[in-house]
Amino acid sequence: ECALDQRVAFAGHSLPLDADPDPQSMVLVRAFSNLAPNLDFVRPIQAVPTPDSTNRLAVVEQGGRIRMIQNDESASSISTFLDLGSVVNDSSNEMGLLGLAFDPGYAQNGRFYVNYTAGSSCSGAIQTPFCTRIVQYEVSLGNANMANPSSAELVFEFEQTDSFHNGGTMHFGPDGYLYVASGDGGASSSDALDLTNPRGAILRLDVGENAPSLAPSSNPFVGQFGVAEEIFHYGLRNPWRFSFDSATGDLWIGDVGGSAFEEINFLPAGSPGGTNFGWDRCEGNGDGPANQVCGSQSYEAPAYVYAHGGASFNSVTGGFVYRGDKFPELNGAYIFADYGTRQIWAWDRDGGGAPQQIASASFGIVSFGEDNDGEILLIELFGDKISRLERSGSSGGSGGDEFPVALSDTGFFDNVGTLTPAAGMIEYEPEAPFYSDNTVKTRWMALPGLKKIAFHAAETWGFPVGTAFVKHFEIELANGSFRRLETRVFLRQIGRWVGVTYRWNSAGTDAFLLLDGDTVELDLGGGQMQPYLFPSSADCLGCHNDFAGRALGLRTRQLGGEFDYGSVSEVQLEAWNCIGLFDTDLEDPTGYERFSPFSDTSRSLNQRVRSHFDVNCAVCHQPAGPAPTAVDFRYDTALIDMNLIGVTPTEGNLGVPGADVLTIGSKESSVLWLRIDSEVPNLRMAAGTQVPDEDAVAEIGSWIDTGLSVIDTDEDGVADGQDVCPTVSDPGQADGDNDDIGDACDPDDLPDLIVESQNVPSAVSPGQLVSLSAVARNQGGGGAGNFPLNFYLSADLAFDPTEDPSVGTCWLNGVGAGVSRNCTTTEAQVPSDIAAEADLPAEFYWVACADPIGQVPDVDDSNDCTVASSPVMVPEPAANVLGLAALLIVLCASHLRLAVD
């Protein structure tokens, strides 16, 4: 029996699918939209115009390539100018190919310079793990779009003590010297004030052909014994991006802050060297970390400071002073951004006043560019794109309707006063809820119409455009009653997700749109006060970021527990499967692994703690995530690979000498626990919380003190150090081929599923039923059991299961090693509202994925999906010729019958 009898279609909400919650004066429009999908940039990190008459842009990719493209919106091709992938180490989100500068005389001498983190140590280095290299190259003779790789000449190198805070920007200054940004080396933050090394500084180098010395004689520390003479300014934490004003020569530095403040530093043109910007004794306008005394030194105060706040990590991205002609209102304004909040500002320093937000991005802006015309380029590293600014409402603007002001006008509730949900709204409860400052939460999901969810066993689910998640917050008062605080809505729009907060009035009768966020003191009665954060739209995307999969509480491990549906309690996955919410039938909805809350003492302490980490911390702390550390809190990461135990904290030791991120047996010497227990919001984990999570403080403290005496990630009774398969429980330690890798995780004994070919139509119409088939092959060493093969339609060759609609599914069973099997479905259907995804007519691409729900342990999940190389045409619904012909036949037959009668 099913707890839910049947699925009820949701009638719909009134939130727009193509508008910003808080419209800004500018919007970002993708540049170079004529490029074929397979020619997109990969992790772009900088865009630099060539200083010649060719009007080209060199786009730097973090992985080591420099791509060349014509600075023209009609450009349809790009070329690889230089590929340094074999020498670049890009294993961290702050390493890789980080900077490019063309020589001012490039048009004549063809020289340019790159800044990268090397995959080998510096010359003569013994103990430091990384090396920053500045290398000169020359363009090939006779081919302006290709560098000469053999022309490499090492200019300067210095040791890096960590994978973070490596700086990377390079610019030639008005004086003709090469300026280089160097971070403080991460954990070694005191390096910024230590003049014996070049870290935490702006370096100035003379790279002229006849330069007598690499350090110009006018550098402030030339001739001083034991000092790095290349230093020009110092006392910087991570000057990730700096620039010179092309009109005045003024120097602008965006210095990424620590736990409290972000800085914009400024020096007028002609300023002498030797400026101390204060880090790490100073942060912002006050004392630095570990109670450093800022007033004990003479330093240059920041030109502008903003404090960390909300639920997002903050990380300033320095930009450029606008000198283009397209936007006269921005002339002379410094354009910069925050990577964490995705906000973009313009600051007229001379005009006074605070910076004004002018736009927001889908992903964090990692860098800005400035073309030869002074127009600004905006680079989204993990969006793999470069954008330009346009005024709102112009071509490419957001358009659309406004968000409803009152919660009662959204359509989610039949009666907002009693919180009676509209028909089709589905209530749910995650197994391990995100901690939210002692509030009580109720959650609903609204899928448009009868649309379905793209299921995956362990990864993020895919949701159709128009999906909304509604989460209501209340807090218990001293007298036992509850006060309504807010109701948040997280919405899947066309091409993106947005979040908004509705704040309840004091009477609790309705809630109203709150765009900017707010922090208040709640009076709980009985003398109890508690701070509380109402998040802004930017704050919502701080946690609901792309790395975490946007929709956080809606995934398999969170919905494996029972929910009280009134008449009966049932596992939520089973109830949802009963009414057909998923794009595939789950054969055993109760058999999936699930998270564990602290209250579930039937599960081990390690399982409960790891569940908490995944839900509350891994949204930011995972590879390539926005958090400024290398810690990985994901549930499936082995303890020994989490970068916790015995690791020096990169963000300071909170005043505890010798503290590591995690010190086994001592929570008081573990920065991880100290942050969870901290009363200071800017220091505490999880970000955005206002008071400590008492359960987490107690349980994680116990886990550190006593639960890690033996590290056994998979809890099979075999310590990780001796376990031949430490991430999969296998107490028998089976190792059939004696290669010291347990059979449960041995690639030799696992299947590896791929799609060899597809038999699919070349044209389809919205709503059309189609027959689809594909051949799946198991190229691994072990057999694959029962698994589905899913078909999708992708708008481009870059398949995204969270964005691209599912069309149909067929199932295969018992595909042995080396075996190929055909799989066919005759019930696939093109979504009738595919027009919401793209303007029709349009070209799409068929995608077939073997094992898309992760049922089969697979050697390589990344090769499960295959995108067909030939496009499929989808016409406008009105242009369905077959449908029109059928209608004419029916009409003619009716007339014929009338005539016969």
Side-chain angles (χ1 to χ4, degrees):
E1 294 184 6
C2 292
L4 299 176
D5 295 331
Q6 60 181 355
R7 183 174 179 187
V8 178
F10 175 58
H13 53 70
S14 61
L15 276 64
L17 301 181
D18 61 348
D20 291 320
D22 186 14
Q24 303 297 322
S25 60
M26 299 277 179
V27 294
L28 272 61
V29 177
R30 191 179 191 116
F32 312 118
S33 57
N34 283 341
L35 285 178
N38 60 331
L39 292 179
D40 274 351
F41 305 108
V42 179
R43 287 189 293 152
I45 207 164
Q46 192 179 14
V48 184
T50 57
D52 54 23
S53 59
T54 60
N55 191 31
R56 292 173 301 153
L57 284 171
V59 177
V60 177
E61 296 179 339
Q62 189 178 14
R65 292 189 304 182
I66 301 174
R67 316 292 297 283
M68 197 69 76
I69 186 170
Q70 201 68 28
N71 185 29
D72 187 328
E73 287 309 299
S74 64
S76 58
S77 64
I78 52 179
S79 60
T80 298
F81 184 64
L82 180 65
D83 190 344
L84 298 174
S86 61
V87 297
V88 164
N89 184 336
D90 64 333
S91 59
S92 163
N93 59 349
E94 292 191 27
M95 296 168 61
L97 180 56
L98 302 178
L100 165 69
F102 288 100
D103 192 285
Y106 176 76
Q108 291 75 41
N109 60 34
R111 295 194 191 103
F112 63 95
Y113 301 82
V114 295
N115 180 339
Y116 64 84
T117 311
S120 58
S121 60
C122 292
S123 304
I126 299 175
Q127 296 181 336
T128 56
F130 309 111
C131 179
T132 287
R133 290 202 172 110
I134 313 298
V135 182
Q136 175 189 291
Y137 283 89
E138 294 181 359
V139 69
S140 296
L141 292 176
N143 188 347
N145 286 319
M146 182 173 293
N148 177 8
S150 64
S151 66
E153 181 178 335
L154 180 64
V155 174
F156 184 54
E157 64 177 356
F158 56 93
E159 298 166 355
Q160 289 289 356
T161 56
D162 210 315
S163 60
F164 295 90
H165 302 183
N166 290 344
T169 308
M170 299 190 300
H171 290 290
F172 279 91
D175 53 11
Y177 294 126
L178 179 63
Y179 288 72
V180 180
S182 168
D184 68 1
S188 304
S189 57
S190 59
D191 280 358
L193 296 178
D194 181 358
L195 298 177
T196 65
N197 69 78
R199 293 185 287 273
I202 298 292
L203 313 178
R204 187 171 75 149
L205 311 178
D206 187 350
V207 294
E209 188 173 4
N210 299 312
S213 171
L214 187 62
S217 59
S218 54
N219 273 14
F221 305 112
V222 167
Q224 297 187 23
F225 178 75
V227 171
E229 297 182 340
E230 297 81 10
I231 294 175
F232 197 67
H233 303 302
Y234 66 105
L236 293 161
R237 184 174 182 271
N238 188 21
W240 167 247
R241 290 295 179 247
F242 75 90
S243 65
F244 292 99
D245 185 338
S246 61
T248 66
D250 298 336
L251 174 63
W252 293 81
I253 305 170
D255 193 17
V256 179
S259 60
F261 298 99
E262 302 296 308
E263 297 183 7
I264 299 295
N265 292 292
F266 170 84
L267 289 175
S271 296
T275 300
N276 173 16
F277 288 103
W279 177 262
D280 67 338
R281 291 187 180 179
C282 306
E283 183 179 7
N285 291 313
D287 292 342
N291 299 316
Q292 297 283 359
V293 180
C294 184
S296 64
Q297 64 175 340
S298 175
Y299 80 106
E300 180 74 20
Y304 177 70
V305 170
Y306 65 94
H308 293 189
S312 302
F313 277 99
N314 291 93
S315 177
V316 69
T317 301
F320 290 86
V321 174
Y322 181 76
R323 296 299 179 185
D325 296 328
K326 190 173 182 179
F327 308 111
E329 68 273 24
L330 295 180
N331 185 51
Y334 180 63
I335 312 297
F336 67 103
D338 188 283
Y339 179 82
T341 66
R342 307 170 300 104
Q343 294 168 306
I344 302 159
W345 294 283
W347 183 34
D348 182 3
R349 178 179 176 273
D350 296 332
Q356 300 297 310
Q357 184 180 348
I358 59 172
S360 62
S362 298
F363 296 83
I365 298 298
V366 71
S367 186
F368 288 87
E370 182 185 43
D371 67 18
N372 282 319
D373 296 324
E375 300 301 335
I376 296 293
L377 301 162
L378 306 95
I379 302 169
E380 296 172 86
L381 173 67
F382 292 105
D384 289 333
K385 66 180 179 181
I386 299 174
S387 298
R388 300 185 190 272
L389 290 171
E390 295 283 357
R391 292 187 182 90
S392 294
S394 59
S395 175
S398 61
D401 300 323
E402 295 182 354
F403 277 69
V405 173
L407 183 63
S408 55
D409 293 329
T410 60
F412 294 121
F413 298 97
D414 287 340
N415 187 322
V416 75
T418 60
L419 286 180
T420 303
M425 296 275 287
I426 300 173
E427 189 175 354
Y428 67 95
E429 176 68 29
E431 281 289 274
F434 189 91
Y435 172 68
S436 300
D437 291 330
N438 302 317
T439 57
V440 177
K441 292 171 283 189
T442 310
R443 305 163 183 84
W444 298 269
M445 175 183 65
L447 286 173
L450 293 175
K451 290 295 187 64
K452 296 190 176 187
I453 299 168
F455 181 83
H456 196 287
E459 304 300 327
T460 306
W461 292 352
F463 297 93
V465 170
T467 300
F469 307 112
V470 181
K471 185 159 58 174
H472 175 72
F473 292 73
E474 299 186 358
I475 194 164
E476 186 173 10
L477 305 179
N479 61 9
S481 64
F482 288 85
R483 173 183 169 183
R484 293 179 174 180
L485 297 173
E486 59 174 313
T487 302
R488 300 178 191 172
V489 179
F490 196 56
L491 174 67
R492 168 79 195 279
Q493 292 187 314
I494 298 172
R496 64 179 178 182
W497 291 85
V498 297
V500 292
T501 292
Y502 286 87
R503 181 174 178 173
W504 283 84
N505 58 22
S506 58
T509 56
D510 207 345
F512 299 91
L513 192 62
L514 178 69
L515 294 176
D516 295 331
D518 195 12
T519 301
V520 300
E521 284 285 329
L522 298 177
D523 185 352
L524 304 182
Q528 299 180 56
M529 302 295 292
Q530 178 186 308
Y532 186 80
L533 168 71
F534 293 93
S536 66
S537 293
D539 289 333
C540 291
L541 293 179
C543 289
H544 291 270
N545 58 64
D546 190 63
F547 313 100
R550 300 298 187 188
L552 304 180
L554 281 295
R555 54 190 63 196
T556 305
R557 284 177 173 145
Q558 284 283 38
L559 294 174
E562 290 194 352
F563 184 81
D564 185 359
Y565 290 97
S567 59
V568 65
S569 292
E570 188 176 26
V571 170
Q572 294 175 92
L573 284 178
E574 190 166 24
W576 289 19
N577 191 58
C578 275
I579 59 172
L581 282 188
F582 301 116
D583 62 350
T584 187
D585 181 62
L586 310 186
E587 293 202 334
D588 182 14
T590 63
Y592 292 98
E593 186 177 30
R594 60 185 177 88
F595 284 147
S596 308
F598 286 130
S599 59
D600 185 0
T601 55
S602 67
R603 307 291 295 279
S604 71
L605 177 60
N606 183 61
Q607 288 172 321
R608 288 178 279 149
V609 169
R610 293 301 304 273
S611 296
H612 176 86
F613 283 157
D614 191 285
V615 173
N616 291 270
C617 309
V619 291
C620 293
H621 289 277
Q622 59 176 283
T629 69
V631 172
D632 184 358
F633 279 119
R634 292 175 300 171
Y635 189 83
D636 290 320
T637 302
L639 279 169
I640 55 177
D641 296 327
M642 291 176 69
N643 208 31
L644 291 175
I645 300 171
V647 174
T648 302
T650 61
E651 300 300 302
N653 60 15
L654 302 188
V656 179
D660 288 330
V661 177
L662 191 155
T663 303
I664 293 179
S666 177
K667 60 179 179 289
E668 290 84 2
S669 298
S670 301
V671 168
L672 165 63
W673 183 83
L674 294 172
R675 286 189 179 274
I676 293 170
D677 187 47
S678 175
E679 296 286 342
V680 181
N682 286 334
L683 296 178
R684 185 175 48 259
M685 292 175 57
T689 59
Q690 302 300 298
V691 293
D693 181 348
E694 295 180 0
D695 289 337
V697 171
E699 298 290 331
I700 294 172
S702 176
W703 180 70
I704 293 172
D705 284 345
T706 63
L708 291 175
S709 56
V710 175
I711 300 177
D712 180 13
T713 297
D714 56 14
E715 301 184 344
D716 60 0
V718 182
D720 283 1
Q722 291 77 46
D723 199 333
V724 294
C725 186
T727 60
V728 179
S729 180
D730 57 344
Q733 296 290 280
D735 179 15
D737 54 8
N738 297 311
D739 62 354
D740 293 326
I741 302 175
D743 292 345
C745 58
D746 191 346
D748 294 339
D749 287 322
L750 292 175
D752 189 10
L753 300 171
I754 64 170
V755 176
E756 283 189 320
S757 61
Q758 299 183 50
N759 184 8
V760 290
S762 59
V764 293
S765 297
Q768 179 184 355
L769 285 171
V770 292
S771 176
L772 306 173
S773 65
V775 175
R777 178 176 176 80
N778 178 8
Q779 59 184 13
N786 195 34
F787 66 93
L789 194 152
N790 273 14
F791 294 91
Y792 300 84
L793 276 175
S794 176
D796 51 42
L797 290 168
F799 170 60
D800 183 350
T802 66
E803 299 281 344
D804 300 328
S806 175
V807 177
T809 301
C810 59
W811 284 80
L812 288 169
N813 187 39
V815 180
V819 173
S820 297
R821 293 272 299 279
N822 185 75
C823 189
T824 300
T825 174
T826 58
E827 299 178 352
Q829 185 170 25
V830 179
S832 58
D833 64 347
I834 197 170
E837 301 286 340
D839 294 330
L840 300 183
E843 288 185 347
F844 284 78
Y845 294 85
W846 287 112
V847 182
C849 296
D851 185 30
I853 64 172
Q855 260 183 284
V856 178
D858 205 0
V859 171
D860 183 6
D861 283 326
S862 67
N863 64 3
D864 288 354
C865 297
T866 298
V867 183
S869 58
S870 300
V872 52
M873 290 301 302
V874 180
E876 296 180 39
N880 188 337
V881 177
L882 293 176
L884 179 59
L887 176 62
L888 291 174
I889 291 172
V890 170
L891 290 175
C892 290
S894 298
H895 284 291
L896 179 61
R897 282 194 299 272
L898 288 173
V900 172
D901 291 342

